[in-house]
Amino acid sequence: MSLLTLLPFIVLIGAMFLMTRSAKKKQQQAVDMRNQMQPGSGIRTIGGMYATVKEVNEDTVLVDAGPGVDLLFAKNAIGAVLTDDEYNRIVHGIEHDLKSDADIVPDDASSLTETDDSASDAPADDKAVDLGKKDAAGEPADEAAEAKPDAEPKKTDGDSEAK
């Protein structure tokens, strides 16, 4: 066999080696992250539940999911160990203000283009706008309905001819 026929096999073996090496590296990072957990750390489980670590054992983690709710998880079920700022932002909605002196950006651009003088120059339209439908005779539909309050709906004995 020549070297040219062995080249595809060598490339295939090299690609498999690189893929397994990458997977092992990610797995080792996950193990290191789980070993860094300490009581008081905020975590997210692989199921998406956020909690605070109370106790770390060899293979398990006791977490506080709420007042009076303690749960026991396997270490493998911990998806991420969160920083304090990230945990408070997600769970409690507390934003850490890094730029307290920065200008506040408005939600819309109308406050950037409109001045106080241009708003006062606009004519005020205080007239009521009638958006009701008109009858063919030109009267509002509400008046036609009020004209026949004595009309009763047709009563049937339960038999209908439509089948």
Side-chain angles (χ1 to χ4, degrees):
M1 284 193 177
S2 69
L3 184 64
L4 190 59
T5 57
L6 292 177
L7 186 63
F9 294 114
I10 294 171
V11 170
L12 183 64
I13 291 171
M16 289 175 51
F17 173 75
L18 290 176
M19 287 190 293
T20 58
R21 182 175 165 214
S22 172
K24 284 183 182 180
K25 187 176 180 181
K26 286 181 182 179
Q27 189 176 21
Q28 185 61 39
Q29 286 176 344
V31 169
D32 292 341
M33 179 258 321
R34 290 179 183 121
N35 288 335
Q36 291 176 0
M37 281 187 296
Q38 298 175 356
S41 300
I43 58 137
R44 181 183 65 236
T45 65
I46 58 174
M49 186 180 75
Y50 294 91
T52 305
V53 176
K54 285 182 82 172
E55 183 180 314
V56 179
N57 298 319
E58 188 174 328
D59 293 330
T60 60
V61 179
L62 183 67
V63 297
D64 180 21
V69 180
D70 294 337
L71 303 170
L72 187 65
F73 281 97
K75 272 191 175 179
N76 293 345
I78 306 303
V81 177
L82 307 172
T83 63
D84 289 338
D85 290 338
E86 186 178 11
Y87 181 77
N88 287 331
R89 179 183 60 82
I90 293 170
V91 175
H92 302 295
I94 300 171
E95 292 287 334
H96 184 67
D97 192 13
L98 297 175
K99 301 175 187 176
S100 60
D101 297 335
D103 293 334
I104 298 173
V105 178
D107 290 339
D108 60 347
S110 65
S111 64
L112 297 174
T113 58
E114 186 177 296
T115 61
D116 293 336
D117 295 337
S118 65
S120 63
D121 292 342
D125 292 330
D126 292 335
K127 294 184 208 175
V129 178
D130 183 24
L131 298 176
K133 288 187 173 181
K134 304 285 183 189
D135 262 354
E139 295 179 6
D142 294 333
E143 291 177 15
E146 291 175 5
K148 302 177 185 177
D150 297 334
E152 294 182 15
K154 183 180 176 183
K155 295 183 181 179
T156 60
D157 59 357
D159 294 332
S160 68
E161 294 178 20
K163 293 185 181 181

